[in-house]
Amino acid sequence: MATTPTRTTAAPPRTSPDGGRDRAKRADAVRNVEAILAAATRVLAADPDASINEIAKTAGVGRVTLYGHFDSRATLVREVVDRAIAQTDEALAEVDLSGDPRDALGRLLEATWHLTHRFGALVVAGSQVLPPEEMSRAHEGPAQRVRGLLERGRAAGEFRDDMPVDWQVSALQAILHGASAAVHRGEITADEAPALVRATTLGALTA
């Protein structure tokens, strides 16, 4: 008499308690890294000489935890600068540069001001530990956008062309950084700065 083979049903995979703990640790690590980067950006933007202790305290983590993710202050600064450059490029790429060169430059200046003020002395912190060629990337994208608008405005007779365009770009950058420093010194407010930057720059370009 034939017997019917017995079917076996595979048991469902067991979830190891260690797997849950590992996921929790990874999630904690991600949160710590984000907290450290956010804190480093805020602290270094205000004080480029801020110590690892200050950054760790602001992030709400210990030195050991911070060094567990970033093996040196230079490594942390490099990551912060890279993120700032990426965020700057992303934000400025959304600015409408079409139409009248003066209006387009005004929009770009105001957007750039907010980023300059947000990142403050981060450029100084980066220049202390990173090679010049790495730091030059911080200004590359914004400078190209400005130069393109200036050349378009010069060709249309909107901006003066009796001085080198690279000098005009440098002067514009100096105005932006000067405004940020003036806000930190309390000479002007952050709300007043965008209009002042726009008026000062356009005035210099059309004088």
Side-chain angles (χ1 to χ4, degrees):
M1 182 175 183
T3 57
T4 303
T6 303
R7 271 188 201 175
T8 57
T9 302
R14 293 182 179 180
T15 302
S16 167
D18 290 341
R21 282 196 290 270
D22 287 344
R23 285 194 296 273
K25 286 181 180 178
R26 288 194 294 271
D28 285 343
V30 170
R31 283 193 294 270
N32 284 339
V33 168
E34 288 303 316
I36 291 166
L37 290 172
T41 300
R42 291 196 306 273
V43 172
L44 293 171
D47 178 10
D49 298 315
S51 68
I52 284 292
N53 284 342
E54 293 174 80
I55 295 171
K57 183 177 179 181
T58 301
V61 302
R63 280 172 56 93
V64 173
T65 298
L66 189 151
Y67 278 121
H69 297 294
F70 302 96
D71 59 9
S72 68
R73 186 177 183 278
T75 299
L76 175 57
V77 171
R78 177 178 283 105
E79 181 65 22
V80 170
V81 170
D82 284 345
R83 281 166 63 105
I85 292 172
Q87 290 170 4
T88 296
D89 285 342
E90 183 179 348
L92 295 183
E94 296 180 358
V95 178
D96 179 13
L97 300 183
S98 62
D100 181 85
R102 288 170 56 90
D103 293 338
L105 183 59
R107 291 191 294 271
L108 184 61
L109 285 169
E110 292 193 14
T112 305
W113 147 254
H114 290 295
L115 292 162
T116 300
H117 186 54
R118 174 185 174 189
F119 295 125
L122 196 56
V123 172
V124 178
S127 66
Q128 293 173 349
V129 298
L130 302 178
E133 58 271 18
E134 286 192 38
M135 285 309 304
S136 67
R137 290 186 300 120
H139 291 297
E140 262 177 24
Q144 287 176 356
R145 289 183 177 87
V146 170
R147 186 177 291 105
L149 274 178
L150 290 177
E151 289 174 345
R152 200 171 93 208
R154 286 157 67 108
E158 295 287 341
F159 300 142
R160 56 190 300 175
D161 59 1
D162 58 341
M163 57 183 65
V165 69
D166 285 340
W167 166 249
Q168 291 176 320
V169 173
S170 296
L172 184 151
Q173 291 172 339
I175 291 170
L176 286 164
H177 288 291
S180 182
V183 170
H184 284 296
R185 291 193 299 266
E187 297 170 2
I188 60 175
T189 68
D191 290 336
E192 294 171 328
L196 289 171
V197 166
R198 181 172 183 156
T200 302
T201 303
L202 291 177
L205 290 173
T206 57

